[in-house]
Amino acid sequence: MNANMTLAALLEEEHQQIDSGIEAFVSAENGDDRTGELTTAIQALRRHIYLEEAMVFPSLRAAGMVAPVFVMLREHGEIWRTLDELETGVASGVDRRELLTFCAQLTGQLDSHNMKEEQILYPQTDGVLTGEATAELRAFLASGELPDGWACAQARA
Ligand SMILES: [Fe+2]
Ligand SMILES: [Fe+2]
């Protein structure tokens, strides 16, 4: 991870890495099994949602971005459910066509969600997080792991 990159740029980079993992699976040639990349992208996306909800959104909300954060949390809930379906599909070995349907749903959700984060929320992040919160987020981006059993706010029953 580049210490010279802004938090906004680092968060955007995660979006791109996750998108490429999904794309690798979707665009795989016949017989080329890229399920591992899809699984990695699913795990990376859950971790990304965690770090946003635990380490980014609270500061943005405190700085007055209540409505945008509310919308992002709702969308995380929708994305989380798609991830559950996709993961269950991979684990139970459903056919590729079905997994591609879930991938298309996920890509549609992410296109709209990530664009809003990148245009509205991320540009505020570097200015709003305290030094301590910034250090915590940078450390987590470099090597943090999703806590066992964690689910996003809108997925907790
Ligand atoms: Fe998000
Ligand atoms: Fe994000």
Side-chain angles (χ1 to χ4, degrees):
M1 187 179 67
N2 191 334
N4 298 319
M5 284 172 76
T6 61
L7 294 173
L10 290 167
L11 292 165
E12 272 194 53
E13 189 178 57
E14 291 214 325
H15 285 173
Q16 288 152 13
Q17 288 164 347
I18 291 161
D19 286 348
S20 351
I22 300 165
E23 179 56 26
F25 175 79
V26 169
S27 62
E29 301 290 333
N30 263 353
D32 187 9
D33 185 7
R34 311 289 288 273
T35 312
E37 277 154 284
L38 177 63
T39 305
T40 300
I42 292 171
Q43 287 160 353
L45 181 48
R46 290 196 195 276
R47 174 186 177 275
H48 178 82
I49 287 174
Y50 167 73
L51 68 87
E52 288 182 340
E53 294 198 5
M55 299 174 201
V56 179
F57 292 174
S59 297
L60 292 176
R61 196 193 284 116
M65 302 188 77
V66 177
V69 166
F70 179 81
V71 174
M72 293 306 101
L73 292 176
R74 196 184 61 210
E75 292 182 355
H76 281 179
E78 294 162 2
I79 292 166
W80 200 266
R81 279 186 282 282
T82 304
L83 291 177
D84 286 344
E85 290 175 311
L86 199 46
E87 213 162 49
T88 303
V90 170
S92 60
V94 298
D95 66 29
R96 177 171 166 82
R97 187 188 305 247
E98 201 169 328
L99 294 180
L100 288 178
T101 305
F102 290 135
C103 284
Q105 183 181 318
L106 181 61
T107 302
Q109 289 170 329
L110 285 178
D111 281 351
S112 152
H113 180 76
N114 292 353
M115 186 172 60
K116 281 176 274 189
E117 286 185 342
E118 290 173 15
Q119 293 181 354
I120 299 165
L121 289 97
Y122 290 177
Q124 305 298 321
T125 302
D126 287 275
V128 157
L129 264 65
T130 61
E132 193 182 345
T134 299
E136 183 196 18
L137 177 56
R138 282 186 182 277
F140 190 90
L141 282 163
S143 62
E145 285 180 24
L146 177 70
D148 271 346
W150 188 86
C152 74
Q154 295 287 312
R156 284 172 225 145

